Amino acid sequence: MTAFRSKTTDNLNQYATRPESTKNAEAMPMDTEVYESPYADPDELRTSTVDRKQLILEDGELGSGNFGTVMKGIYKMRKTEKQVAVKILKNDDNNAAVRDEMLREAGVMQQLDNPYIVRMIGICEAENLMLVMELADLGPLNKFLQKNRQIAVRNITELVHQVSMGMKYLEEHNFVHRDLAARNVLLVTQHYAKISDFGLSKALTEEENYYKAKGHGKWPVKWYAPECMNFFKFSCKSDVWSFGVLMWEAYSLGQKPYKGMKGNEVIQMIESGERMAAPANCPPEMYELMKKCWTYKADERPGFNVVEPRLRDYYYDISQ
Ligand code: AMP
């Protein structure tokens, strides 16, 4: 796999078209320090390993997942220090398979550099295997929305648009996420979202624009497109389907999609042409976009190159 990284300044270019009227609005992520890559300063050498001596783990768990716990920490670089999140492999799970899985996730993250994707800072091999990442202190989007129901539609649109920018970046670099859902979008601030959890992600090859799974796994069926379920085929277009479900979760303030339904009932519903109803108070323009994301045939479904500008235009429209 070839490593690539775009410079932080490249990412700024997508704002070149930002309308005058919104330029003086509240601070955007790129106006703040949190937007910066930890390696934006050339004096801070890029490395994929973190020395345990440079890492301080703090009390308190940020969350837990398949591998173990995620803790808050401080990463001391040459000139600065940065708050980080540290995914710690469970001790009893130091078996080869889980370890390989975590290293594979790290391998994908290492190749990505975008403000709307949680960056990996490095791997630390110490008392446990640890994956050191940028910190997104406000946690998963679905939980945040459940607790902050007063949030404005404009704010939701801003966050969902940021996710689409991160996904457009993945699409441009031929990666499929395969687990895009509101639970895997983490918030740095109420106005700054980042895509996380690359445990199921795959790098696509030049020749093939999809990944074919060998069999059915423990899959988030309610977020999966028909071609994933029927042919085990995963592409940027199947991520677009998941993005539609993520939009539905966001505008419904963190509700569970297809509530009370079993996986096979959801599959039947989709196959029969039915789709989820619009969440209460969802702007009709955004519901139309969700339904576009739920186009049955992957070929006819828009890519993130289409979805992202739609969201950007709508966000600018309501920001006037
Ligand atoms: P995961 O194993 O990636 O699903 O992570 C489990 C939980 O840990 C997430 O749901 C978050 O609450 C938390 N978490 C993971 N990564 C981060 C991060 N970079 N910043 C803050 N919290 C995180």
Side-chain angles (χ1 to χ4, degrees):
M1 280 188 291
T2 46
F4 62 83
R5 277 182 189 269
S6 60
K7 291 192 189 78
T8 306
T9 44
D10 289 346
N11 298 318
L12 287 167
N13 291 339
Q14 60 194 300
Y15 295 96
T17 54
R18 196 172 165 202
E20 263 325 300
S21 56
T22 63
K23 276 185 183 156
N24 296 324
E26 69 221 38
M28 297 281 284
M30 70 279 196
D31 303 326
T32 69
E33 186 214 329
V34 285
Y35 177 85
E36 283 231 318
S37 164
Y39 301 113
D41 182 342
D43 285 353
E44 300 287 9
L45 280 179
R46 189 187 303 291
T47 163
S48 57
T49 55
V50 167
D51 188 337
R52 184 66 181 86
K53 290 193 220 78
Q54 290 176 279
L55 189 64
I56 300 167
L57 292 179
E58 295 182 338
D59 283 342
E61 207 180 287
L62 286 165
S64 61
N66 294 340
F67 302 116
T69 52
V70 181
M71 310 277 288
K72 223 185 221 190
I74 295 173
Y75 175 47
K76 290 182 171 289
M77 288 180 276
R78 292 178 171 208
K79 295 196 299 195
T80 52
E81 55 181 49
K82 197 177 158 65
Q83 281 204 302
V84 290
V86 187
K87 199 179 259 196
I88 307 173
L89 187 68
K90 278 184 251 165
N91 247 342
D92 52 330
D93 258 344
N94 267 339
N95 75 58
V98 187
R99 199 187 140 84
D100 284 357
E101 232 178 281
M102 187 153 152
L103 288 172
R104 221 192 47 75
E105 178 177 359
V108 170
M109 287 182 89
Q110 200 188 359
Q111 298 177 71
L112 308 172
D113 184 13
N114 182 268
Y116 305 107
I117 294 175
V118 171
R119 292 188 181 95
M120 188 190 82
I121 291 166
I123 281 279
C124 179
E125 288 250 32
E127 61 273 27
N128 299 64
L129 179 66
M130 296 185 263
L131 173 59
V132 184
M133 299 171 284
E134 283 182 323
L135 176 69
D137 225 357
L138 296 193
L141 176 63
N142 57 338
K143 291 197 181 143
F144 179 85
L145 293 172
Q146 286 160 15
K147 286 190 225 129
N148 294 275
R149 302 183 62 82
Q150 302 307 318
I151 191 167
V153 160
R154 177 172 173 267
N155 195 163
I156 298 175
T157 309
E158 176 184 34
L159 295 170
V160 166
H161 175 229
Q162 292 173 354
V163 176
S164 76
M165 286 194 279
M167 290 309 298
K168 192 169 107 180
Y169 170 89
L170 283 187
E171 180 178 82
E172 284 164 359
H173 293 96
N174 294 318
F175 278 85
V176 279
H177 187 285
R178 297 182 67 225
D179 200 6
L180 185 61
R183 63 181 173 276
N184 288 332
V185 170
L186 302 179
L187 298 185
V188 179
T189 72
Q190 185 170 333
H191 298 281
Y192 189 5
K194 281 176 181 273
I195 301 161
S196 80
D197 205 337
F198 288 81
L200 287 175
S201 301
K202 301 280 173 202
L204 302 173
T205 59
E206 292 284 320
E207 305 81 50
E208 217 76 271
N209 67 350
Y210 64 88
Y211 163 76
K212 179 104 164 58
K214 286 175 193 74
H216 207 299
K218 225 176 115 194
W219 284 351
V221 172
K222 292 181 178 179
W223 283 262
Y224 272 5
E227 69 275 13
C228 307
M229 303 311 302
N230 296 331
F231 309 112
F232 304 168
K233 260 175 101 167
F234 294 85
S235 64
C236 296
K237 294 293 186 75
S238 51
D239 278 347
V240 168
W241 180 288
S242 311
F243 181 77
V245 181
L246 183 153
M247 282 183 76
W248 187 95
E249 295 179 273
Y251 286 102
S252 70
L253 304 173
Q255 276 191 50
K256 290 195 174 102
Y258 310 95
K259 209 173 171 186
M261 291 176 72
K262 295 211 168 70
N264 55 346
E265 291 168 341
V266 173
I267 295 168
Q268 271 173 28
M269 172 176 163
I270 298 302
E271 290 290 334
S272 74
E274 205 186 325
R275 300 290 183 264
M276 277 193 285
N281 306 320
C282 176
E285 294 88 341
M286 293 295 93
Y287 184 54
E288 284 312 307
L289 186 55
M290 279 175 219
K291 285 195 291 185
K292 284 258 161 27
C293 294
W294 301 329
T295 302
Y296 189 87
K297 288 189 180 163
D299 295 349
E300 292 166 13
R301 205 176 297 146
F304 286 106
N305 60 331
V306 172
V307 171
E308 186 277 321
R310 288 266 175 93
L311 270 160
R312 188 198 318 158
D313 289 348
Y314 181 68
Y315 176 58
Y316 287 154
D317 274 357
I318 60 173
S319 301
Q320 300 287 336

